[in-house]
mmCIF file with all atom_site columns, all heavy atoms in Angstrom:
data_model
loop_
_atom_site.group_PDB
_atom_site.id
_atom_site.type_symbol
_atom_site.label_atom_id
_atom_site.label_alt_id
_atom_site.label_comp_id
_atom_site.label_asym_id
_atom_site.label_entity_id
_atom_site.label_seq_id
_atom_site.pdbx_PDB_ins_code
_atom_site.Cartn_x
_atom_site.Cartn_y
_atom_site.Cartn_z
_atom_site.occupancy
_atom_site.B_iso_or_equiv
_atom_site.pdbx_formal_charge
_atom_site.auth_seq_id
_atom_site.auth_comp_id
_atom_site.auth_asym_id
_atom_site.auth_atom_id
_atom_site.pdbx_PDB_model_num
ATOM 1  N N   . GLU O 1 73 ? -52.296 -33.670 -83.867 1.00 97.00 ? 1390 GLU O N   1
ATOM 2  C CA  . GLU O 1 73 ? -51.272 -34.157 -82.940 1.00 97.00 ? 1390 GLU O CA  1
ATOM 3  C C   . GLU O 1 73 ? -50.645 -33.046 -82.109 1.00 97.00 ? 1390 GLU O C   1
ATOM 4  O O   . GLU O 1 73 ? -50.310 -31.973 -82.632 1.00 97.00 ? 1390 GLU O O   1
ATOM 5  C CB  . GLU O 1 73 ? -50.180 -34.885 -83.727 1.00 97.00 ? 1390 GLU O CB  1
ATOM 6  C CG  . GLU O 1 73 ? -50.689 -36.112 -84.475 1.00 97.00 ? 1390 GLU O CG  1
ATOM 7  C CD  . GLU O 1 73 ? -49.614 -36.691 -85.368 1.00 97.00 ? 1390 GLU O CD  1
ATOM 8  O OE1 . GLU O 1 73 ? -49.331 -36.080 -86.425 1.00 97.00 ? 1390 GLU O OE1 1
ATOM 9  O OE2 . GLU O 1 73 ? -49.058 -37.744 -85.003 1.00 97.00 ? 1390 GLU O OE2 1
ATOM 10 N N   . PHE O 1 74 ? -50.447 -33.358 -80.823 1.00 98.00 ? 1391 PHE O N   1
ATOM 11 C CA  . PHE O 1 74 ? -49.877 -32.390 -79.878 1.00 98.00 ? 1391 PHE O CA  1
ATOM 12 C C   . PHE O 1 74 ? -48.979 -33.178 -78.938 1.00 98.00 ? 1391 PHE O C   1
ATOM 13 O O   . PHE O 1 74 ? -49.456 -34.026 -78.176 1.00 98.00 ? 1391 PHE O O   1
ATOM 14 C CB  . PHE O 1 74 ? -51.028 -31.726 -79.116 1.00 98.00 ? 1391 PHE O CB  1
ATOM 15 C CG  . PHE O 1 74 ? -50.640 -30.561 -78.252 1.00 98.00 ? 1391 PHE O CG  1
ATOM 16 C CD1 . PHE O 1 74 ? -49.683 -29.641 -78.648 1.00 98.00 ? 1391 PHE O CD1 1
ATOM 17 C CD2 . PHE O 1 74 ? -51.286 -30.360 -77.031 1.00 98.00 ? 1391 PHE O CD2 1
ATOM 18 C CE1 . PHE O 1 74 ? -49.362 -28.546 -77.858 1.00 98.00 ? 1391 PHE O CE1 1
ATOM 19 C CE2 . PHE O 1 74 ? -50.970 -29.273 -76.227 1.00 98.00 ? 1391 PHE O CE2 1
ATOM 20 C CZ  . PHE O 1 74 ? -49.992 -28.364 -76.642 1.00 98.00 ? 1391 PHE O CZ  1
ATOM 21 N N   . SER O 1 75 ? -47.674 -32.930 -78.990 1.00 98.00 ? 1392 SER O N   1
ATOM 22 C CA  . SER O 1 75 ? -46.749 -33.720 -78.189 1.00 98.00 ? 1392 SER O CA  1
ATOM 23 C C   . SER O 1 75 ? -46.185 -32.899 -77.037 1.00 98.00 ? 1392 SER O C   1
ATOM 24 O O   . SER O 1 75 ? -46.084 -31.678 -77.098 1.00 98.00 ? 1392 SER O O   1
ATOM 25 C CB  . SER O 1 75 ? -45.607 -34.257 -79.063 1.00 98.00 ? 1392 SER O CB  1
ATOM 26 O OG  . SER O 1 75 ? -44.865 -33.186 -79.593 1.00 98.00 ? 1392 SER O OG  1
ATOM 27 N N   . LEU O 1 76 ? -45.808 -33.611 -75.983 1.00 98.00 ? 1393 LEU O N   1
ATOM 28 C CA  . LEU O 1 76 ? -45.224 -33.000 -74.784 1.00 98.00 ? 1393 LEU O CA  1
ATOM 29 C C   . LEU O 1 76 ? -43.842 -33.594 -74.572 1.00 98.00 ? 1393 LEU O C   1
ATOM 30 O O   . LEU O 1 76 ? -43.704 -34.818 -74.513 1.00 98.00 ? 1393 LEU O O   1
ATOM 31 C CB  . LEU O 1 76 ? -46.106 -33.279 -73.567 1.00 98.00 ? 1393 LEU O CB  1
ATOM 32 C CG  . LEU O 1 76 ? -45.608 -32.753 -72.217 1.00 98.00 ? 1393 LEU O CG  1
ATOM 33 C CD1 . LEU O 1 76 ? -45.737 -31.230 -72.160 1.00 98.00 ? 1393 LEU O CD1 1
ATOM 34 C CD2 . LEU O 1 76 ? -46.393 -33.389 -71.074 1.00 98.00 ? 1393 LEU O CD2 1
ATOM 35 N N   . ARG O 1 77 ? -42.826 -32.763 -74.434 1.00 98.00 ? 1394 ARG O N   1
ATOM 36 C CA  . ARG O 1 77 ? -41.452 -33.253 -74.287 1.00 98.00 ? 1394 ARG O CA  1
ATOM 37 C C   . ARG O 1 77 ? -40.875 -32.848 -72.932 1.00 98.00 ? 1394 ARG O C   1
ATOM 38 O O   . ARG O 1 77 ? -41.020 -31.681 -72.521 1.00 98.00 ? 1394 ARG O O   1
ATOM 39 C CB  . ARG O 1 77 ? -40.568 -32.728 -75.409 1.00 98.00 ? 1394 ARG O CB  1
ATOM 40 C CG  . ARG O 1 77 ? -39.129 -33.249 -75.321 1.00 98.00 ? 1394 ARG O CG  1
ATOM 41 C CD  . ARG O 1 77 ? -38.413 -33.181 -76.635 1.00 98.00 ? 1394 ARG O CD  1
ATOM 42 N NE  . ARG O 1 77 ? -37.028 -33.658 -76.511 1.00 98.00 ? 1394 ARG O NE  1
ATOM 43 C CZ  . ARG O 1 77 ? -36.681 -34.945 -76.593 1.00 98.00 ? 1394 ARG O CZ  1
ATOM 44 N NH1 . ARG O 1 77 ? -37.597 -35.884 -76.793 1.00 98.00 ? 1394 ARG O NH1 1
ATOM 45 N NH2 . ARG O 1 77 ? -35.407 -35.285 -76.490 1.00 98.00 ? 1394 ARG O NH2 1
ATOM 46 N N   . LEU O 1 78 ? -40.263 -33.826 -72.287 1.00 97.00 ? 1395 LEU O N   1
ATOM 47 C CA  . LEU O 1 78 ? -39.484 -33.578 -71.081 1.00 97.00 ? 1395 LEU O CA  1
ATOM 48 C C   . LEU O 1 78 ? -38.022 -33.669 -71.494 1.00 97.00 ? 1395 LEU O C   1
ATOM 49 O O   . LEU O 1 78 ? -37.542 -34.731 -71.902 1.00 97.00 ? 1395 LEU O O   1
ATOM 50 C CB  . LEU O 1 78 ? -39.776 -34.628 -70.005 1.00 97.00 ? 1395 LEU O CB  1
ATOM 51 C CG  . LEU O 1 78 ? -41.115 -34.551 -69.271 1.00 97.00 ? 1395 LEU O CG  1
ATOM 52 C CD1 . LEU O 1 78 ? -42.284 -34.945 -70.172 1.00 97.00 ? 1395 LEU O CD1 1
ATOM 53 C CD2 . LEU O 1 78 ? -41.084 -35.446 -68.041 1.00 97.00 ? 1395 LEU O CD2 1
ATOM 54 N N   . GLU O 1 79 ? -37.309 -32.587 -71.445 1.00 94.00 ? 1396 GLU O N   1
ATOM 55 C CA  . GLU O 1 79 ? -35.917 -32.564 -71.926 1.00 94.00 ? 1396 GLU O CA  1
ATOM 56 C C   . GLU O 1 79 ? -34.964 -33.227 -70.942 1.00 94.00 ? 1396 GLU O C   1
ATOM 57 O O   . GLU O 1 79 ? -34.032 -33.911 -71.332 1.00 94.00 ? 1396 GLU O O   1
ATOM 58 C CB  . GLU O 1 79 ? -35.482 -31.119 -72.177 1.00 94.00 ? 1396 GLU O CB  1
ATOM 59 C CG  . GLU O 1 79 ? -36.150 -30.466 -73.368 1.00 94.00 ? 1396 GLU O CG  1
ATOM 60 C CD  . GLU O 1 79 ? -35.711 -31.058 -74.713 1.00 94.00 ? 1396 GLU O CD  1
ATOM 61 O OE1 . GLU O 1 79 ? -34.765 -31.873 -74.752 1.00 94.00 ? 1396 GLU O OE1 1
ATOM 62 O OE2 . GLU O 1 79 ? -36.321 -30.688 -75.733 1.00 94.00 ? 1396 GLU O OE2 1
ATOM 63 N N   . SER O 1 80 ? -35.184 -32.999 -69.657 1.00 97.00 ? 1397 SER O N   1
ATOM 64 C CA  . SER O 1 80 ? -34.305 -33.568 -68.628 1.00 97.00 ? 1397 SER O CA  1
ATOM 65 C C   . SER O 1 80 ? -35.191 -33.893 -67.427 1.00 97.00 ? 1397 SER O C   1
ATOM 66 O O   . SER O 1 80 ? -35.440 -33.033 -66.586 1.00 97.00 ? 1397 SER O O   1
ATOM 67 C CB  . SER O 1 80 ? -33.213 -32.567 -68.255 1.00 97.00 ? 1397 SER O CB  1
ATOM 68 O OG  . SER O 1 80 ? -32.385 -33.098 -67.233 1.00 97.00 ? 1397 SER O OG  1
#
Side-chain angles (χ1 to χ4, degrees):
Chain O
E1390 298 173 286
F1391 189 39
S1392 63
L1393 178 72
R1394 182 158 179 85
L1395 286 71
E1396 290 291 351
S1397 178

